[in-house]
Amino acid sequence: MATKSKLSVVEVKRPSREEAEAAISTLIRWIGENPEREGLKETPRRVVKAFEEYFEGYNMKAEDILGRTFREDMGGYNDPVLIRNIEVESRCEHHMAPFIGFAHVAYIPDGRILGLSKLARIVDMYARRMQVQERLTSQIANALQQFVKPKGVAVLIEAEHFCMKIRGVRKDHSKTITTRYLGAYKKDAGLRADFLQKIKGT
Ligand SMILES: [Zn+2]
């Protein structure tokens, strides 16, 4: 396992927007281009604005999204709740290249349920940070476990990494699949089989 940096996001002093734009300008010059030419004049501003979107997950907290679960009469429902095909668009922390795919998230409620859109929002929050797919998978599962306290959580992510598609080994069709099972899903192979079966669809 990678060593965990003690430096958290809040402790890093953020540069100003102007400094960030100047950094993009530097990169443009570094590749041999002229940041002053007409087509590139606005590029640093646009890139920094795009970065705000790519990495907006740093301005969000899991408790704001998952903090409000509710107890509800579910009529005796105690099977898994699964949302499959949640679009994932993240960036690898090694190259800042996109990795794109789908997350499939299931939990088995233990009295509490979650607004369904919140599952998608928690995926987005962690995806919109510098990531490795393994950690993204774990963070989603751990957050659900922590805030919803279900009987079990299953997360599977399948993604294509552009740092493998368009550079490096240039394997255009490889997919990376990661899973994290907690609680009942960890103990029960039948539940995992049911999860994998439902992901595939009928
Ligand atoms: Zn990469």
Side-chain angles (χ1 to χ4, degrees):
M1 238 179 100
T3 50
K4 211 173 169 187
S5 168
K6 284 233 167 72
L7 203 60
S8 82
V9 186
V10 279
E11 286 166 279
V12 177
K13 189 182 177 296
R14 294 194 185 191
S16 68
R17 177 172 292 268
E18 290 69 31
E19 287 172 305
E21 289 176 7
I24 301 300
S25 199
T26 301
L27 275 175
I28 291 173
R29 276 186 285 118
W30 185 76
I31 60 172
E33 259 289 2
N34 170 17
E36 297 305 317
R37 82 171 164 82
E38 197 55 35
L40 295 181
K41 260 190 177 156
E42 289 297 308
T43 297
R45 189 185 59 78
R46 284 190 292 251
V47 171
V48 167
K49 200 157 180 266
F51 263 52
E52 280 185 314
E53 267 183 66
Y54 303 154
F55 299 111
E56 70 186 358
Y58 287 112
N59 300 319
M60 301 173 186
K61 283 193 224 135
E63 56 259 46
D64 294 339
I65 297 171
L66 299 180
R68 269 203 218 152
T69 54
F70 38 97
R71 292 200 164 270
E72 185 129 327
D73 177 11
M74 291 181 281
Y77 187 93
N78 57 8
D79 276 345
V81 177
L82 164 74
I83 302 195
R84 70 174 191 213
N85 296 342
I86 302 169
E87 283 96 341
V88 167
E89 198 232 295
S90 189
R91 291 212 157 33
C92 82
E93 66 183 23
H94 303 129
H95 307 92
M96 297 174 92
F99 63 93
I100 290 173
F102 294 99
H104 313 283
V105 181
Y107 75 104
I108 305 170
D110 189 11
R112 277 170 202 287
I113 55 172
L114 194 63
L116 294 177
S117 66
K118 294 188 169 185
L119 282 174
R121 286 180 59 209
I122 201 74
V123 169
D124 275 349
M125 185 195 87
Y126 287 118
R128 287 175 175 272
R129 296 179 180 187
M130 306 264 273
Q131 276 293 7
V132 293
Q133 188 178 322
E134 295 86 338
R135 188 175 60 232
L136 175 60
T137 310
S138 281
Q139 285 178 329
I140 295 164
N142 295 347
L144 284 171
Q145 187 62 49
Q146 185 186 341
F147 290 99
V148 188
K149 299 188 170 44
K151 290 177 188 155
V153 178
V155 178
L156 185 149
I157 297 179
E158 47 183 311
E160 295 180 65
H161 289 248
F162 279 66
C163 62
M164 275 181 78
K165 281 166 85 80
I166 59 171
R167 57 159 296 287
V169 291
R170 301 196 184 204
K171 297 295 178 216
D172 199 17
H173 300 289
S174 68
K175 264 194 185 157
T176 304
I177 295 178
T178 47
T179 51
R180 172 111 164 137
Y181 298 113
L182 299 175
Y185 278 101
K186 205 176 173 93
K187 292 180 208 128
D188 188 338
L191 277 176
R192 294 196 295 276
D194 172 70
F195 173 67
L196 296 172
Q197 183 61 40
K198 282 175 178 156
I199 285 172
K200 273 189 268 165
T202 44

